[in-house]
Amino acid sequence: MSLDDYIPQLARPANVEQLAKALGVATQIFTFIADNSEPERIYRRHLIPKRAVRALPSVPVEDARGIVTLSLDSFDLSKYRVVWEAHSPVIKHAHKSAARVLERYLSRPGALFPHEAAFGYVKGRSTRHNARRHVGAKRLLSADIQDFFPSITLARVELALEAAGLQPAVTNALGRFLTIEGSLPLGLNASPMIANLVATPLDHDLSALAKEWGLTYTRYADDITLSGDGELPTREIIETVLKRHFFRLNKSKFRTSKLGQKHYVTGLSVADKAAPHAPRAMKHKLRQELYYIEKFGFLEHLSRGGEGGTEQHNVNRLDGTVNYVSSIEPRLAHRLRAAWKKVCDENDIAKSFEPRPVIQLRPASWFVDEAEIVHPDGTRLLALCLADVLEPGRLDTELRTLFAEEAGDAFGTADPLSIIQKGLHWSDATWSQREAVVKLIAASPVRVMVAMAPLTSPSEYTTTYTDLLCEILETALKIADDAEIAIHVEENRSKVSKADVQGAVTRAYTELETKNQRRPLQAPEVNIVSKGATPCCCVPDTVLGALHRYAVSRKDGKEGSLAVTLFERLRNHYSVIFDHHANKIYHHRSPFKRW
């Protein structure tokens, strides 16, 4: 296996503890989710009106504390999709981490997943890519799988995971972790990927059917499309194939059309042989709105047009429509975006997302540390890390236990008193100590953000530090509007003072406040601490050390292998990496590569 294409080997874990560790989830959290028989304890249930009944309201059935506010008896559930949301950051992190590891394993080279005909919820594929496969076809067949997600049961998930190579001893536990009330839920991170996995045999059969009939087949989630210039299969044929794979056809949505009639695939017109097009009605309405806003002004247009929702809601709606049409039809993008920018500038409006109403704020602990590192081209960089530790009390205890074990090691080379007083620093630790700390952090709910920039001279240290911290905070604060935040910064009086840090925090918070962007109710509190007194301070230090060693590691040699392995254990914890030296932003869709 190449170290440049590292894949977690999920075929190896033979018990729940090994599996949880591989997924980057603490065992007790994994088992708590898998064994939970009351979903309302850890999830919030939303009722979303189905497309045909959008006049109905969207309904969160539980509030942020899981308290039922509306009775399900008062709703016709057949008209709604049930969407689940984990309201605890720890549960959310567990599902995100597991989904990312599963995706890397399932889509490994040679696994033939996702199927080439599957376009929904697949990286690099979209509704436009799906529709492009059918442009210019004379005949079109559209079908819909009824209750796609709910029909995927726990047993079917287990069988799909086992077929993907996981050991039978762990597939039931993982299946229970991924399902709610015995079926695959809408809303959880891994659900779309698992749905595609379960539907892969269906994709094989429908692809074979399409080849036999001289047609093109694609599937976008529960939307099935077959197209070509010849005859199309009957509804009964499609229904038979679906039944073979334990899916049901939604007979009310089965449709065939000929060129000249409405030819739509995943909402896009495919009548033109050159490319898909956004719906004509959508483009007409958008051009009309932009014209009237320019003529009467934004607020006057809203009052004349009777558009519902707040002013900001309509700004966001129009901004989204402009971006959507531009992405579908690139030839229109420049003109549309220029017109929208002119409207925004003249009316002093901009897309933003106001803080959400929160019943009870959650406490959040962020830990900040920095390191000076050297790029292979000789450039000295200042790297700064913010670690959002979701269970600081538990991780503090586990780290103290580890520090005590290392201090008492009769064969250890580190100074035991230094370990007890200062904790383990990456630069001073042995590779075995680094691995022990990394394993603890990897199985803990921790989210990290990193920013790095060239450090041209020692005199610019403080300025570079505060600029990097501001950049991270502008992202971190947007997703923490439900929190009361305490930022813990490792003591570094010689270069950065508490006043410097507080100034950066105030600057980032004020910027979001001025733009009315999503943010906490108040600016975070800043504390200057030491690693020894606050063991969680070693988290950003470890994260930066692992990132640096991975970035400069050689492709051969034992140390290179260790550096890659340690970084890969932590990879899912890196939310974003701002690299100003390379002018790149890395995240889960664009992962960090070695220098």
Side-chain angles (χ1 to χ4, degrees), residues 413-414 418 422-431 433-434 541:
T413 57
S418 176
K422 300 180 181 179
L424 280 172
H425 288 251
W426 178 270
S427 58
D428 301 328
T430 64
W431 277 103
Q433 290 170 337
R434 291 172 180 176
D541 174 65

Side-chain angles (χ1 to χ4, degrees), residues 66-135:
I67 299 173
V68 177
T69 55
L70 291 169
S71 171
L72 291 177
D73 295 336
S74 59
F75 296 94
D76 180 357
L77 293 182
S78 65
K79 296 181 180 179
Y80 290 87
R81 296 184 191 277
V82 178
V83 179
W84 298 90
E85 176 193 7
H87 53 69
S88 160
V90 174
I91 305 299
K92 286 181 181 178
H93 181 276
H95 279 292
K96 283 183 180 179
S97 182
R100 288 165 183 162
V101 175
L102 279 166
E103 181 181 24
R104 292 173 64 200
Y105 171 75
L106 293 174
S107 58
R108 66 195 183 280
L112 301 179
F113 176 84
H115 192 278
E116 63 179 2
F119 284 82
Y121 315 115
V122 177
K123 180 182 177 180
R125 304 181 192 179
S126 65
T127 55
R128 185 171 187 267
H129 293 109
N130 182 56
R132 277 185 65 87
R133 297 283 294 272
H134 304 282
V135 292

Side-chain angles (χ1 to χ4, degrees), residues 379-382 452-457 460 464 468 579-582:
T379 305
R380 181 169 291 278
L381 305 174
L382 180 63
M452 47 191 166
L455 189 59
T456 54
S457 68
E460 294 185 0
T464 305
L468 293 176
D579 184 351
H580 290 283
H581 181 54

